[in-house]
Amino acid sequence: MHRIIVSCLLAICAGIGLSSYAQQTAPSPVGLQRDTTYRADTAAVVITAAVRIYDLSHVSVCPGSTIFVPFDFEGKFEEKNRFLVQISDVSGRFSTISDSLQHGPARIVLPQNRAGLVAVRVISTHPSVVSAPTRLMVLPLPQAKIETNDGGSIAKIGPGQAATYRVSLTGAAPWSFTISDGTVVTNTLVNPYVTQVSPKETTSYKVTSILNACGSGTGSGELVVQVSQDTLPAIALKAVPKAGFRICTGTPFQINFNATGKYNIGNGFVVQLSDTTGQNFTNISELATESPIIAKTPFSLKAGNYKLRVVSTFPTISSDTVDVNVSAPATATLRRDSLEIPEGGATNLTVDFGGGGPWFVLLSDGTYQNDIRVTPYTLKVSPNDPTTYKITSAGGYCGVGTFSGTAVVKVKIPPATISTGNLSDKIICSGTEITVPFTTTGRFENANKFIVQIADTSGKWVNLPTVGGLSALRAKISPPFLKDTLTTHQLRVIGTFPFTEGVPTNINVMMQNAASAAVTGGGVIRPGGASRIRVAFKNGLPPWSFVLSDGTTVNGTFINPYQITVNPRTTTEYKVVSLNNTCGTGITNGPSATVTVDTN
């Protein structure tokens, strides 16, 4: 098993060249010892030889393991030079543990008799140079010592009693060991390892084997458990909680005990419970011949504190008494209330508990709370609709109990209203999709739809094809609803379930292809002179794009009227021959302007 620990070193060192190891993977060198020579003609120090070993303090290995020791050297060494690896003993003396080498790393086998923190160094022979040492942790082989809990070797018990012993372990965890009675413990991290034995006759116990990652070790010590057949009978309760037992009325429970010593033929054991004063014990179980015993308190027993014991019949002896708290089954009552909250609000329901707690409660709407330790207890609820609450389940320490009560919570739901928001575009072209924002109050059913409506020429509200969700809708206004080139319309949003009319808002709609342009200005000019004409737009939304009869082209202007300087050579009539704007193609039969060129 110790080979597992060494494998990491083998993986690091095996097959790695010295220079590569030193540059890439080797830990930092722990020191450098140099052989120096002083020349008479200079004060400079010339380094001729040095050996350095790399840090091994992070490595833990087992005795007898094979590891690689990386080292490096520099300077001048003779051809016959060899390197040796040395390891210290407990007194600090170094001894050689490697073959002679010409270069590192060095393969060494650790002595079996070394353990703990040791020093490792590398020396050279020609010249004689010693590296600074590095530390290496050698894990000890495992050892196990068996003894009583107080460090003794003899334990005395009566028939049926148990003796406690411990196995103290040394070396690296985990450990696996075997006891002479056949007990096998595998890969334990517990130290000391404590357990019990209950032999029927006097028996000795030894550790027969001990193993850990470093291999097999040695066991020591001997435990002798003496069993006396003449000990007086005694009864001891087992697994008693510090605060005593807690049980429920009418519910079976189990009592464990140890009966040691010599009893007469026909002996039996019975569980007894006192009254509330701690006196006057009565049987609450059938007669049993051994542990455990199943006991049960009567349903009529009142909740409270009692004493419990186990009694034998031949001879009549009893165990020590232990405190017992008897709890009754839980009760839960939801207080009968009639409450009213606003929509989105919350209120508290009150539950009164009885019997043994802590309690839990589940309401009919799924509200759940457990680990309740006070009574009465309030539960916060936030119903969306008027709701009648009941308890679906409730209980306490003794399980599900009895529950009752109802509470009604009414919800004030405001009437449904719709308010149409302000439109971002107050004037639009016919056929343009617009966004109609709106807000609501109250509650609408799942089947409800929100629709945009428009008042037609007669004032009747007509549905528009509508797309959208809960806060904004999209709709188009088409020519059939237009009265004039520019028409003011009323829009509103309605809900269908319940039917709700929204507050209307206004919007101006421009008819498509209705824009027109008039050319004004002109007059009489001399040859080479200039004149100004104006193009005025009507019944349309900017920007406008137009072409004049002389070929002048203007794209996307927001100026109205638009002025142009012209300098015709001959008398010229100016009119709009093409007109477009946001609302489509305009009308081109508007007024024109003439510029007369006077040659006289």
Side-chain angles (χ1 to χ4, degrees):
M1 297 179 67
H2 64 276
R3 294 179 181 175
I4 297 173
I5 296 178
V6 182
S7 63
C8 63
L9 288 176
L10 296 176
I12 292 175
C13 300
I16 299 178
L18 179 61
S19 61
S20 172
Y21 185 90
Q23 296 173 9
Q24 300 177 20
T25 61
S28 301
V30 298
L32 191 64
Q33 181 73 30
R34 294 184 175 91
D35 179 27
T36 59
T37 302
Y38 292 85
R39 295 173 53 184
D41 58 347
T42 179
V45 177
V46 179
I47 301 175
T48 58
V51 180
R52 56 184 177 184
I53 187 171
Y54 288 87
D55 186 17
L56 299 175
S57 61
H58 61 287
V59 177
S60 297
V61 294
C62 297
S65 301
T66 299
I67 66 171
F68 286 85
V69 177
F71 67 90
D72 201 354
F73 57 91
E74 64 181 20
K76 186 177 181 181
F77 290 84
E78 299 178 24
E79 289 187 7
K80 60 183 178 180
N81 177 70
R82 294 294 183 267
F83 296 100
L84 301 170
V85 178
Q86 294 184 331
I87 189 172
S88 67
D89 57 19
V90 292
S91 65
R93 296 177 182 176
F94 283 88
S95 58
T96 301
I97 59 171
S98 74
D99 298 331
S100 59
L101 306 164
Q102 291 182 321
H103 56 74
R107 180 179 180 274
I108 65 171
V109 178
L110 294 173
Q112 291 283 357
N113 60 351
R114 301 290 168 88
L117 206 57
V118 299
V120 179
R121 69 184 185 184
V122 177
I123 66 171
S124 66
T125 58
H126 297 84
S128 176
V129 180
V130 181
S131 75
T134 181
R135 294 187 300 176
L136 175 68
M137 174 56 71
V138 180
L139 301 173
L141 290 172
Q143 292 185 352
K145 182 180 180 181
I146 189 170
E147 57 192 359
T148 63
N149 249 1
D150 57 3
S153 60
I154 298 176
K156 296 181 180 181
I157 63 173
Q161 289 182 323
T164 302
Y165 70 88
R166 68 188 181 195
V167 178
S168 299
L169 303 160
T170 60
W175 301 273
S176 298
F177 60 88
T178 304
I179 306 299
S180 55
D181 66 343
T183 299
V184 177
V185 177
T186 305
N187 293 331
T188 181
L189 300 173
V190 179
N191 186 21
Y193 184 89
V194 179
T195 188
Q196 291 183 325
V197 289
S198 298
K200 295 181 179 180
E201 57 187 17
T202 299
T203 307
S204 66
Y205 298 86
K206 294 182 179 181
V207 177
T208 57
S209 69
I210 171 69
L211 296 169
N212 71 350
C214 288
S216 120
T218 58
S220 62
E222 180 179 9
L223 171 70
V224 178
V225 180
Q226 296 178 348
V227 182
S228 174
Q229 300 297 329
D230 297 325
T231 56
L232 294 175
I235 303 173
L237 298 179
K238 293 174 62 177
V240 178
K242 289 184 179 180
F245 291 108
R246 187 177 182 186
I247 60 178
C248 298
T249 57
T251 304
F253 61 95
Q254 180 175 288
I255 293 296
N256 295 280
F257 63 94
N258 274 333
T260 59
K262 191 172 183 179
Y263 292 85
N264 298 331
I265 297 174
N267 176 69
F269 301 95
V270 68
V271 178
Q272 294 184 337
L273 190 70
S274 72
D275 57 18
T276 54
T277 66
Q279 305 296 320
N280 303 318
F281 285 85
T282 57
N283 295 347
I284 58 171
S285 75
E286 299 292 334
L287 201 63
T289 58
E290 60 184 0
S291 175
I293 301 178
I294 302 300
K296 180 180 179 182
T297 59
F299 284 100
S300 59
L301 187 67
K302 292 183 179 180
N305 295 318
Y306 298 82
K307 298 287 185 180
L308 181 144
R309 68 185 183 185
V310 173
V311 177
S312 65
T313 56
F314 299 105
T316 302
I317 61 171
S318 66
S319 68
D320 291 338
T321 60
V322 63
D323 292 332
V324 174
N325 176 264
V326 177
S327 296
T331 62
T333 304
L334 178 61
R335 289 188 184 178
R336 191 176 300 276
D337 284 324
S338 183
L339 307 169
E340 188 171 64
I341 61 172
E343 185 177 30
T347 188
N348 289 323
L349 304 181
T350 303
V351 181
D352 295 301
F353 291 99
W359 303 281
F360 71 90
V361 64
L362 174 66
L363 299 184
S364 52
D365 71 334
T367 299
Y368 175 75
Q369 183 64 55
N370 65 355
D371 198 29
I372 300 171
R373 297 180 181 271
V374 296
T375 182
Y377 187 82
T378 57
L379 295 164
K380 186 177 181 179
V381 294
S382 302
N384 292 322
D385 300 293
T387 303
T388 299
Y389 288 90
K390 296 181 180 180
I391 297 178
T392 302
S393 181
Y397 178 80
C398 296
V400 176
T402 58
F403 41 87
S404 61
T406 59
V408 176
V409 179
K410 301 176 183 178
V411 181
K412 294 180 181 177
I413 301 175
T417 64
I418 301 175
S419 296
T420 307
N422 293 325
L423 302 176
S424 59
D425 296 323
K426 292 296 184 181
I427 303 177
I428 65 168
C429 299
S430 174
T432 301
E433 185 177 80
I434 60 171
T435 299
V436 183
F438 68 98
T439 57
T440 65
T441 62
R443 190 175 298 180
F444 293 85
E445 299 178 21
N446 291 335
N448 175 73
K449 292 183 179 180
F450 294 106
I451 300 172
V452 177
Q453 287 189 331
I454 187 172
D456 64 12
T457 54
S458 64
K460 180 181 178 182
W461 290 99
V462 179
N463 292 348
L464 290 177
T466 303
V467 178
L470 296 178
S471 61
L473 302 172
R474 300 193 305 275
K476 289 183 180 181
I477 301 177
S478 54
F481 300 107
L482 304 181
K483 301 176 182 177
D484 202 347
T485 303
L486 180 64
T487 306
T488 298
H489 288 283
Q490 281 194 315
L491 295 180
R492 72 179 184 184
V493 177
I494 67 164
T496 57
F497 292 97
F499 179 76
T500 307
E501 298 177 346
V503 178
T505 188
N506 293 335
I507 190 169
N508 294 318
V509 182
M510 181 69 68
M511 182 179 293
Q512 286 187 332
N513 304 324
S516 63
V519 183
T520 60
V524 179
I525 64 173
R526 299 286 292 173
S531 178
R532 294 179 68 82
I533 62 173
R534 293 182 299 278
V535 181
F537 305 105
K538 182 181 179 182
N539 298 335
L541 297 178
W544 293 278
S545 298
F546 63 92
V547 179
L548 296 181
S549 53
D550 69 342
T552 299
T553 301
V554 176
N555 292 317
T557 181
F558 286 84
I559 301 173
N560 186 16
Y562 188 89
Q563 298 190 43
I564 302 174
T565 299
V566 295
N567 50 359
R569 295 181 179 180
T570 60
T571 298
T572 303
E573 179 186 16
Y574 294 91
K575 60 181 179 180
V576 175
V577 297
S578 174
L579 176 62
N580 291 281
N581 74 333
T582 302
C583 295
T585 302
I587 302 170
T588 58
N589 58 356
S592 62
T594 300
V595 177
T596 302
V597 180
D598 187 357
T599 60
N600 297 320

